[in-house]
Amino acid sequence: MILAFDWTQLAQQIVIGLASGGVWATLAVALVLIYRSTGVINFAQGEMAMFSTFIAWSLVNHGFSYWAAFVLTVAISFAGGVAVERAVIRPVERAPVLTVVIVTLGLFFVVNGAARWIWSPETRSLPNAFSTRPITVAGVAFSISDLGTIAVSLAAVALLWAFFRFTKLGLASRAAAVNPDASRLVGVRVTWMLALGWGLAAAMGAVSGMLTAPALASFDQNLMQPVLLYAFAGAVLGGIDSPLGAVVGSLLLGVLINLIGTYVNWVGTDLRLPVALAVILGVLLVRPAGLFGRPMETRV
Amino acid sequence: MRSRAPGIAVWLLVAAVVLLAYLFAPRFISDFHSRELAGAGVFFIAIVGLNLLTGYTGQISLGHGALMAVGGYTTAALAVHEHWRDVWTIPLAGVAAGIVGFLIGLPALRLSGLYLALATFAFAIAIPSLLKKFSGLTGGSQGLRLLEDAPLQVTGLSGTVTIFGHTMTQNHFLYYLTWGIGLVGFLIAWLLVRGRVGRTFRAVRDSEVAAASVGINLAWTKTLAFALSGVYAGVAGSLLAIQVEIVNPLSFTFLLSILILVGVVVGGLGSLGGMILGALFVQYLPDLSTHVSTAEGAPDFIFGAAIIIVMLLLPTGAGGFLRRLARPLTTRLYLRP
Amino acid sequence: MARVKYLILLVLGALALATVAAGAASETGVTSTQVTIGGTTPLSGPASAYQSVAKGAAAYFRYVNAKGGVNKRKINYIYKDDAYDPSKTVDATRELVSQDKVFAIFNSLGTDQNLATRAYLNALKVPQLFVASGATTFGNDYKKYPYTIGYQPNYRAEGTIYGRYVVKHAPKSRIGVLYQNDDYGKDLLAGLQRGLGAKAGLVKSKQSYNVDDPDVQSQIAKLKAAKVNTLMVFATPKFAIQAYVYARKLSWKPLVYMNAVSSAANIMGLSTAATNKKQTEGTISIVFLKDPTDPAWRNNSGMKLYRSIMKKYKGGNPNDVYAVYGMSVAHTFVAALQKAGKNPTRAGIVKAADSLNVTNDPFLLPGISVKTSATDHFPLDQAKLQRYHDGHWVAFGGLFRVR
């Protein structure tokens, strides 16, 4: 019985799941950053990442080398994230949370529409930062690109952790998120900390877009819409206030979707996503704060 | 006692104006605009329902478009498969969606805020896939067409409808049906909100711990709110199916859930008065955006910009703004010696 | 006596002329200077890339109007947004019919979208012309819906071509299918199975995907595991490119049949660049339009006309093959309107659309004609096979019927 089971297929589907999950891990980290600073899910995060991808494409198209374009895009996106926070989020900082959510929804349409208006809706491609040469180990195929994508997201998590833990700015940022009023009393510029959060998230989103586009082999203005969905689910599974959780959650979700689709016949490919989301909900009912999240304590 | 009389008089006047507007509006607008208003009415009903859940009980839902789908498909399936008269299916569509809303409310007991958003979001995403999967009942990706396959349509192809001996155009009938139900639904919601149920909802919204400590059953309240808002969404979905005479998975995507939520927040959370404005906003703005420019991407850009601008100017929505406007008036009315 | 007779004839003639003139002006949407037609297209939302079908047609009509129009009437083409939502299609179409009072509905996009309005339009006897959808029902169900007609070669027929080709040239293939989980993908698959006929068992694995799936890696892996050597890709461009890329990642090179929607030269170019020339070599597809990104047509007079119209009348992005489609269908409409005579009626244009014989469409492959008859309600049903070799398409064989 055990020998008849196709272990190679299982391993292959797991590896594919990790590769898929790795693609949306960085966007999940971006979502976590916004959540930690502003307390909302930024529904426009994917579109902002897509916009950054188009900027990178334009730069490459105008003769910049890939890495120059990469760094420049990250910098521009950081500035863009800060600008968005100051222009559109700051005015509603003290409004009900749902107002901010609706603003991010409005932002979704604005950024998507702008990207369609500036660049025509053709299918394009972005060069891959890593090699796509197929590698096969024990009958299971993958590429350096898959490993590279996961490595980048883990590196981002490590960098963020170091930033928040060891730098003064990072400490101020954490303080502003946890207790804005007390932070102001000790001289923390709270509103700029929020802007910093958005800038970092936008930069992370840019990285995400520039990894996603080559991983999915082509891109257009719809690139990040399905990715946002999965990143959101993965981030919540991992614990919405934990960047590491976002990465782990995304990887797990990728594996889960693939295994369900492959081995549960009734589900097939039609219902993979709903079933995977149902599984996540099951996890949340047992551990409401997600796998790595800290349970919220409310003072009465 | 005497100081309350002017307050009541004002409300009665408002009610009378609304009633008159409802009854006589079609005379002043074109036949086709009656149809567009009927579309706004559908949003209005869904928005009032979602407001009960999100505005008054403080629970977020990203899945009310899917609840509309439940209502719409119930109506279509009954009309096409079981040959029911389409308008008689409306209550059943509401009940079906109410039950589904209740079922969604159950996991909500353990989840809150963001996690509830994810749960309802998952439901919204799942619905089109489920609708396509069970194609025997739902017509799969083609959906169901009442105009062709439902023999007992009140609207149908004739162009006119005769109710109680009175003949009117199809579009006028849709308008009266939708807004009639809408006003009744609004009244029910208003009475609920003013009464004990409303106070219980608001207690839960403001502090669950405090509410529980005064003996409010959180589970019952939250699931009731979900079920009630589900009924409204189901009725709205049913009216949509009757209006456009088709149901299709593409009509009930996540975008619809977003539009309803936008309508609630723009209208003003926890304010019933603003809901009409919210409904008009989500009905007319997407269309207006295409009139401003049809360049690729421009309509979406304009729509999004309008949402942002409205939220920046009126963070508590139209209802919050109206309340601020009306405050000097009502204060004066109620504080007369 | 003769003078009285002459006078009577003159009066009768004048009366006849007056009635004809009055009758001409009384057809909805037709005046002495203008014909108004309308349709729906996704101007917003995720399907908005397809709006070039309407924009290309609009540019062509502006070109025709600049040359005087048809029978001295300019064509006023209104297209409204339905965001790809059939319930919005219903509302927008009703508005076109009752408010804008169009002569005919033309070039509305989408299968479900057009199905939603078909019964209504036929009941009101409003022509539903040249529906932009590849579903067979628009050409098959003309007895029930005589006012409706499609245009493009339908998906089921395309699938049948591939099936028949395999049976004839590679009857021992092991076929795998990657298809989109909607009418478009399922129609192609159904056509394939029909074309394979008795040899339908050659299909060893069918894997579907949804548009909001993250990628099709899992499906490709399963197809390879089924030891398939011929891969039918019934997918839209994004996933078609992924099929090549993920096959290469698995060190797998099946023979690919690429459906026409994703076979444009620039898409194939992206696939080749993302893998290598070997991976896309030998891919088979059908073609009926001139591809604006194919260098073979650079000096072709038809494509030169296309580019000049796109530029002068602001048709949008000239590299978009959907715009070429839009111009072709507009060209056919003009022919039908011409045929409907000096005083077109709704019934008249339907009759003209049912008896087309247009051989001079500059946007279609040379030799393809737009033909309809009492028993043939598929205006475009010819195509050529083409094979991808060394980075570009090479048509082979003759024109054949795509039915």
Side-chain angles (χ1 to χ4, degrees):
Chain A
M1 206 20 221
I2 296 186
L3 288 174
F5 184 77
D6 189 349
W7 291 101
T8 318
Q9 224 334 16
L10 175 66
Q12 180 71 72
Q13 291 292 346
I14 291 179
V15 165
I16 287 178
L18 290 172
S20 298
V23 164
W24 54 70
T26 344
L27 191 67
V29 173
L31 289 174
V32 166
L33 282 172
I34 297 279
Y35 187 80
R36 271 162 71 135
S37 71
T38 315
V40 293
I41 287 290
N42 178 10
F43 280 102
Q45 199 73 58
E47 300 312 284
M48 289 164 68
M50 173 271 291
F51 199 89
S52 302
T53 312
F54 271 90
I55 293 179
W57 179 86
S58 292
L59 290 172
V60 169
N61 218 32
H62 277 86
F64 284 74
S65 81
Y66 177 79
W67 288 109
F70 187 95
V71 170
L72 208 54
T73 303
V74 170
I76 294 174
S77 305
F78 180 87
V82 170
V84 163
E85 199 278 334
R86 306 253 67 202
V88 151
I89 303 294
R90 172 140 186 264
V92 288
E93 243 168 46
R94 297 189 185 269
V97 151
L98 262 180
T99 303
V100 185
V101 171
I102 300 298
V103 167
T104 66
L105 283 173
L107 211 53
F108 175 102
F109 290 109
V110 163
V111 175
N112 186 286
R116 275 184 216 277
W117 188 55
I118 299 175
W119 294 280
S120 63
E122 283 173 57
T123 309
R124 301 161 210 268
S125 74
L126 197 68
N128 202 326
F130 306 102
S131 153
T132 51
R133 198 167 48 89
I135 303 176
T136 312
V137 171
V140 172
F142 58 95
S143 71
I144 299 278
S145 174
D146 297 332
L147 293 174
T149 309
I150 299 177
V152 166
S153 62
L154 289 172
V157 170
L159 276 171
L160 281 174
W161 178 79
F163 171 74
F164 283 121
R165 188 108 197 289
F166 296 121
T167 68
K168 209 157 160 218
L169 198 56
L171 183 61
S173 177
R174 272 162 60 207
V178 169
N179 194 334
D181 295 320
S183 309
R184 276 196 194 91
L185 288 175
V186 298
V188 171
R189 307 274 295 281
V190 169
T191 21
W192 279 109
M193 293 302 107
L194 288 177
L196 178 67
W198 276 73
L200 283 175
M204 193 69 57
V207 172
S208 166
M210 289 188 282
L211 290 174
T212 306
L216 296 184
S218 70
F219 76 96
D220 61 12
Q221 285 82 347
N222 292 327
L223 172 71
M224 298 305 270
Q225 281 170 36
V227 180
L228 180 69
L229 215 142
Y230 294 96
F232 179 30
V236 174
L237 174 63
I240 194 61
D241 53 1
S242 159
L244 181 63
V247 176
V248 173
S250 299
L251 292 172
L252 274 177
L253 179 62
V255 174
L256 188 65
I257 291 182
N258 261 3
L259 291 183
I260 291 175
T262 309
Y263 293 106
V264 183
N265 272 322
W266 174 75
V267 167
T269 38
D270 296 357
L271 296 177
R272 291 189 322 172
L273 182 56
V275 172
L277 291 172
V279 172
I280 293 185
L281 283 176
V283 171
L284 288 178
L285 288 176
V286 172
R287 250 190 93 84
L291 296 174
F292 287 77
R294 255 159 310 165
M296 283 294 296
E297 286 153 5
T298 34
R299 282 266 183 82
V300 179
Chain B
M1 271 313 288
R2 227 182 104 236
S3 62
R4 282 182 70 78
I8 295 179
V10 168
W11 283 121
L12 280 176
L13 189 63
V14 168
V17 166
V18 168
L19 204 60
L20 282 173
Y22 163 63
L23 287 172
F24 293 106
R27 276 173 216 243
F28 298 103
I29 54 177
S30 81
D31 188 58
F32 186 76
H33 281 122
S34 302
R35 191 187 172 85
E36 283 191 318
L37 275 180
V42 166
F43 274 117
F44 176 68
I45 296 171
I47 286 171
V48 168
L50 184 60
N51 199 5
L52 287 175
L53 180 68
T54 305
Y56 287 95
T57 322
Q59 300 186 85
I60 190 171
S61 167
L62 294 174
H64 266 55
L67 287 172
M68 278 182 70
V70 172
Y73 267 86
T74 304
T75 288
L78 286 172
V80 167
H81 296 311
E82 302 296 321
H83 298 179
W84 278 43
R85 201 169 196 65
D86 50 5
V87 288
W88 298 146
T89 64
I90 298 176
L92 209 62
V95 167
I99 293 175
V100 175
F102 176 82
L103 291 173
I104 295 178
L106 289 176
L109 301 180
R110 276 275 280 177
L111 307 170
S112 69
L114 184 70
Y115 306 97
L116 186 56
L118 179 65
T120 52
F121 174 71
F123 178 59
I125 299 290
I127 273 286
S129 305
L130 287 168
L131 288 173
K132 282 195 267 187
K133 182 102 180 159
F134 297 105
S135 52
L137 188 65
T138 63
S141 43
Q142 284 191 4
L144 296 168
R145 293 192 281 283
L146 283 84
L147 190 61
E148 296 171 45
D149 302 325
L152 287 180
Q153 261 194 305
V154 173
T155 43
L157 280 167
S158 65
T160 59
V161 177
T162 309
I163 296 276
F164 306 128
H166 196 73
T167 306
M168 63 183 94
T169 69
Q170 209 180 91
N171 292 337
H172 285 170
F173 169 71
L174 290 170
Y175 163 84
Y176 282 120
L177 179 71
T178 309
W179 281 99
I181 294 180
L183 288 174
V184 168
F186 182 87
L187 194 62
I188 295 175
W190 188 74
L191 289 170
L192 278 174
V193 159
R194 274 173 64 90
R196 207 162 143 233
V197 175
R199 286 197 295 275
T200 315
F201 282 175
R202 268 170 293 184
V204 169
R205 175 191 67 191
D206 293 337
S207 167
E208 282 190 23
V209 178
S213 64
V214 296
I216 290 177
N217 185 333
L218 284 178
W220 170 236
T221 308
K222 283 181 169 185
T223 43
L224 175 67
F226 254 106
L228 263 178
S229 68
V231 170
Y232 278 83
V235 168
S238 171
L239 287 166
L240 179 66
I242 292 174
Q243 184 180 330
V244 296
E245 298 166 319
I246 56 155
V247 288
N248 184 287
L250 290 168
S251 307
F252 299 104
T253 58
F254 184 55
L255 178 65
L256 181 60
S257 296
I258 291 180
L259 282 177
I260 303 173
L261 189 63
V262 168
V264 172
V265 180
V266 163
L269 286 171
S271 152
L272 282 179
M275 295 299 106
I276 294 190
L277 292 169
L280 292 173
F281 183 85
V282 293
Q283 170 72 16
Y284 286 105
L285 201 57
D287 196 46
L288 280 173
S289 308
T290 49
H291 281 276
V292 172
S293 165
T294 58
E296 170 83 56
D300 285 337
F301 182 91
I302 294 167
F303 178 59
I307 292 177
I308 293 177
I309 291 172
V310 168
M311 287 287 92
L312 257 54
L313 291 175
L314 304 172
T316 45
F321 181 65
L322 286 174
R323 229 180 284 146
R324 265 192 290 148
L325 274 183
R327 195 172 294 153
L329 177 67
T330 48
T331 335
R332 186 168 292 182
L333 285 173
Y334 283 110
L335 290 184
R336 278 248 206 95
Chain C
M1 239 0 262
R3 274 177 87 195
V4 174
K5 234 199 233 173
Y6 179 66
L7 211 60
I8 293 175
L9 272 172
L10 200 62
V11 169
L12 280 173
L15 272 172
L17 210 65
T19 352
V20 166
S26 74
E27 180 62 287
T28 323
V30 178
T31 67
S32 51
T33 52
Q34 170 169 281
V35 172
T36 305
I37 56 177
T40 54
T41 192
L43 295 174
S44 62
S48 61
Y50 296 139
Q51 63 178 275
S52 17
V53 156
K55 294 220 159 121
Y60 188 77
F61 287 140
R62 283 195 277 269
Y63 161 74
V64 166
N65 289 344
K67 292 201 306 175
V70 177
N71 286 328
K72 299 212 177 67
R73 292 190 182 90
K74 302 238 188 316
I75 300 175
N76 178 20
Y77 173 43
I78 308 173
Y79 52 92
K80 292 193 196 265
D81 182 26
D82 68 352
Y84 213 57
D85 174 355
S87 62
K88 293 209 175 79
T89 313
V90 169
D91 282 337
T93 305
R94 276 177 181 262
E95 189 175 4
L96 285 167
V97 169
S98 61
Q99 295 283 91
D100 302 286
K101 301 214 189 308
V102 295
F103 172 59
I105 297 291
F106 164 76
N107 198 25
S108 286
L109 190 132
T111 303
D112 295 322
Q113 292 70 11
N114 279 289
L115 285 175
T117 53
R118 185 171 58 171
Y120 162 75
L121 290 170
N122 275 268
L124 266 70
K125 294 201 178 16
V126 176
Q128 189 182 23
L129 296 176
F130 308 129
V131 159
S133 150
T136 32
T137 174
F138 295 114
N140 272 338
D141 295 328
Y142 57 89
K143 289 223 172 70
K144 198 169 173 198
Y145 301 110
Y147 277 74
T148 303
I149 193 163
Y151 191 63
Q152 69 200 75
N154 66 79
Y155 300 130
R156 194 168 296 216
E158 183 182 347
T160 312
I161 295 299
Y162 300 141
R164 290 208 187 114
Y165 187 81
V166 169
V167 168
K168 191 161 175 204
H169 296 270
K172 296 220 171 46
S173 306
R174 294 177 60 90
I175 302 177
V177 183
L178 175 71
Y179 67 102
Q180 189 158 295
N181 184 27
D182 63 4
D183 284 329
Y184 143 74
K186 289 184 192 164
D187 264 355
L188 281 161
L189 176 61
L192 173 71
Q193 284 165 330
R194 196 179 81 172
L196 289 171
K199 292 219 178 266
L202 288 178
V203 176
K204 303 298 176 198
S205 176
K206 294 182 284 210
Q207 300 295 330
S208 72
Y209 71 89
N210 287 312
V211 184
D212 52 17
D213 277 354
D215 56 51
V216 290
Q217 287 192 75
S218 175
Q219 287 88 337
I220 296 293
K222 282 185 240 174
L223 286 164
K224 183 187 177 199
K227 298 194 179 19
V228 151
N229 61 17
T230 303
L231 179 61
M232 300 277 166
V233 178
F234 298 155
T236 44
K238 171 180 172 176
F239 298 100
I241 299 175
Q242 283 185 16
Y244 285 115
V245 170
Y246 297 138
R248 176 176 175 248
K249 200 156 100 156
L250 297 170
S251 302
W252 182 40
K253 202 233 160 277
L255 172 64
V256 171
Y257 284 71
M258 179 59 66
N259 75 102
V261 166
S262 302
S263 65
N266 59 339
I267 303 293
M268 291 301 291
L270 286 175
S271 297
T272 310
T275 53
N276 51 46
K277 276 201 176 154
K278 229 176 64 172
Q279 196 72 29
T280 50
E281 178 72 28
T283 300
I284 294 179
S285 182
I286 64 163
V287 60
F288 59 97
L289 287 168
K290 287 178 188 160
D291 184 339
T293 57
D294 191 340
W297 303 115
R298 190 173 299 140
N299 291 318
N300 173 269
S301 58
M303 286 320 271
K304 279 191 178 156
L305 174 66
Y306 162 77
R307 257 181 258 282
S308 73
I309 295 178
M310 288 296 275
K311 192 162 176 195
K312 188 161 179 203
Y313 299 102
K314 304 217 186 339
N317 175 13
N319 287 334
D320 190 344
V321 67
Y322 287 114
V324 180
Y325 172 91
M327 279 214 201
S328 174
V329 70
H331 179 272
T332 300
F333 176 79
V334 164
L337 187 60
Q338 193 94 24
K339 193 157 184 202
K342 287 219 170 12
N343 298 302
T345 61
R346 281 173 167 170
I349 196 154
V350 168
K351 220 160 127 202
D354 289 344
S355 55
L356 289 167
N357 188 1
V358 176
T359 51
N360 63 349
D361 188 317
F363 315 110
L364 298 170
L365 284 189
I368 293 187
S369 58
V370 186
K371 268 207 180 79
T372 50
S373 71
T375 48
D376 172 8
H377 280 67
F378 293 95
L380 280 181
D381 54 10
Q382 294 165 292
K384 260 193 165 162
L385 280 170
Q386 54 180 3
R387 183 178 284 118
Y388 204 68
H389 171 65
D390 196 34
H392 52 261
W393 287 112
V394 178
F396 65 95
L399 277 177
F400 54 85
R401 199 112 270 161
V402 186
R403 286 276 234 121

